[in-house]
Amino acid sequence: MAIRPALIKTSGYLVSSVSVALLGAVTWKTASANPLLLACLIGGMTLSILGMILRWISYQMEE
């Protein structure tokens, strides 16, 4: 049974999204002491995950 490239790509996007969430969780306490840092952390995490979702959608549209 061969692993489909689409499954590998989808898994990669999921792993990257979880990685962003984990890194954000680690820095949350420090960033929450400063509203600007917290806004940057939330914005960066959101944009990173959104970018991965958009790349995944574009990949699905190409197939």
Side-chain angles (χ1 to χ4, degrees):
M1 180 173 114
I3 298 176
R4 295 185 348 211
L7 178 61
I8 294 172
K9 185 166 274 206
T10 299
S11 298
Y13 289 135
L14 288 174
V15 168
S16 294
S17 294
V18 170
S19 172
V20 168
L22 291 173
L23 291 171
V26 169
T27 60
W28 188 268
K29 185 176 180 183
T30 303
S32 65
N34 181 328
L36 181 58
L37 286 178
L38 185 58
C40 289
L41 176 63
I42 292 170
M45 290 172 63
T46 302
L47 290 173
S48 180
I49 292 172
L50 179 62
M52 286 180 261
I53 291 169
L54 291 173
R55 285 193 301 272
W56 181 79
I57 290 170
S58 72
Y59 175 75
Q60 296 298 315
M61 292 172 71
E62 288 175 354
E63 284 207 352

